[in-house]
Amino acid sequence: MVEHTTAATHAVVTLDVALPGIVWGWMITLNMWAKSIATGVILVGVYLLKKYGDRVEGVKTLMPVVSFIFLNIFLLFTLLDLHHPFRMVNIFFHPHFTSAITVGAWLATILTGIIFVMAAGRVLGKLDEVLYNKLLWAAFVFAIPVTLYTATIMGEAAARELWQTPTELVQMALAAFIGGSAIYLILGVGDRNVRRDLAIVLAVSASLSFVVYMGEYYFGAMKAEEVAATIAFVKSGGEYHTMFWLGQYLGYIIPVALVVFGLKNRSQSLLALASVLALAGLWIAKHVWLVIPQLLNLS
């Protein structure tokens, strides 16, 4: 019997080898960003329709059309990011419902189907009000878990301490309200009272999201050394420092200020500008938070 041994000097400790690159990059950022808009226009749209009724009649068509477009952007870039995209079919033919990815894929597919029927029905004028309202509530119910389930996937990445499911659930929900209210403000939906409500939703959501980020930025290091090391990528300067604060200013600080001035001066242009900046800053903020934990070795 011949023994095969490996010299200690030739051993490779794989956990100490740096990752070859970012595993979840800009495609996943775009995935989350588009999903926030797609679900946000549903959540905010239901609020507008139930509060203002016929005063926002256009939302009945805008909501499913805009949501359908962004849901498909979300699904497309989810598929493109997979190393073996055609294996995605196994989620439907061989589902494993203890997996957040499987559950999320099924929910997102069902939601897309509901929104497609609503959009096609409104555009073609073939959908009566009774059926529309039933589909509207179904879309509302499915939009909630669809916008939240990515937080569960991030939390399951146990080696990335920065991603905590409870915190990410809050950020996903706030991102949806930012995305939904921003889209409606950009499109100029409703009268002054409607835009006021939308602006308040945008400002409150942006403010709360900023507070959560600052809590993690300044106090996250108390939880784990990995969190401290991750945040150090931001605090030490460089591109991630710049990108992080650019996202905070564009996505949260400046839009809140513009909303305050826009409401005071009754300026639709300021509210629209706040919305555009909020959407841009939301993408940047999400991208930084997605990338920086992946820059660390796992030991």
Side-chain angles (χ1 to χ4, degrees):
M1 176 175 166
V2 178
E3 292 187 2
H4 296 279
T5 60
T6 302
T9 54
H10 294 158
V12 176
V13 182
T14 56
L15 288 179
D16 284 339
V17 177
L19 289 171
I22 302 300
V23 177
W24 288 350
W26 68 268
M27 284 191 183
I28 299 301
T29 305
L30 183 57
N31 163 315
M32 294 189 294
W33 181 82
K35 177 161 65 71
S36 294
I37 294 173
T39 55
V41 295
I42 297 171
L43 299 176
V44 177
V46 169
Y47 164 76
L48 293 178
L49 288 171
K50 293 308 166 185
K51 181 175 181 179
Y52 293 104
D54 293 339
R55 290 167 61 184
V56 289
E57 179 70 21
V59 170
K60 290 184 177 180
T61 301
L62 275 176
M63 182 193 66
V65 169
V66 172
S67 181
F68 183 72
I69 291 170
F70 281 94
L71 276 172
N72 278 279
I73 293 173
F74 150 60
L75 293 172
L76 172 64
F77 282 93
T78 300
L79 192 65
L80 291 177
D81 186 68
L82 298 176
H83 296 290
H84 299 285
F86 291 109
R87 293 183 183 176
M88 185 75 175
V89 71
N90 291 324
I91 287 180
F92 301 100
F93 288 106
H94 306 285
H96 198 296
F97 288 108
T98 59
S99 166
I101 295 176
T102 300
V103 174
W106 275 79
L107 291 173
T109 302
I110 294 170
L111 177 61
T112 304
I114 293 170
I115 289 297
F116 171 74
V117 173
M118 293 175 69
R122 287 293 298 183
V123 171
L124 298 175
K126 301 292 185 180
L127 197 62
D128 64 69
E129 288 298 309
V130 174
L131 180 56
Y132 182 91
N133 288 330
K134 290 180 179 179
L135 291 173
L136 177 65
W137 284 113
F140 178 81
V141 170
F142 278 97
I144 296 172
V146 168
T147 204
L148 295 178
Y149 86 91
T150 310
T152 305
I153 296 174
M154 295 175 74
E156 286 178 341
R160 309 299 182 189
E161 286 291 337
L162 185 64
W163 299 333
Q164 295 296 311
T165 297
T167 304
E168 295 302 326
L169 285 171
V170 173
Q171 290 287 35
M172 295 291 173
L174 293 173
F177 286 116
I178 291 171
S181 57
I183 289 295
Y184 287 126
L185 283 170
I186 291 170
L187 295 175
V189 169
D191 55 26
R192 190 174 70 225
N193 291 332
V194 173
R195 292 195 292 270
R196 178 205 60 205
D197 281 13
L198 291 170
I200 291 172
V201 171
L202 176 62
V204 171
S205 301
S207 298
L208 291 175
S209 190
F210 176 73
V211 168
V212 174
Y213 273 123
M214 291 302 99
E216 293 184 283
Y217 182 79
Y218 287 107
F219 303 113
M222 295 179 180
K223 182 183 186 301
E225 291 182 0
E226 199 266 353
V227 176
T230 301
I231 296 298
F233 273 98
V234 176
K235 292 184 176 180
S236 62
E239 67 173 301
Y240 292 103
H241 175 84
T242 301
M243 192 180 297
F244 175 81
W245 285 108
L246 182 63
Q248 298 302 306
Y249 275 99
L250 285 182
Y252 310 120
I253 299 173
I254 296 176
V256 170
L258 288 174
V259 165
V260 172
F261 287 113
L263 291 177
K264 184 178 180 180
N265 298 309
R266 298 182 179 180
S267 172
Q268 169 61 21
S269 59
L270 285 179
L271 296 180
L273 177 59
S275 301
V276 171
L277 293 179
L279 291 177
L282 179 65
W283 193 97
I284 296 170
K286 279 190 170 294
H287 188 66
V288 173
W289 218 245
L290 180 71
V291 169
I292 54 176
Q294 300 179 65
L295 301 176
L296 296 176
N297 299 333
L298 294 179
S299 67

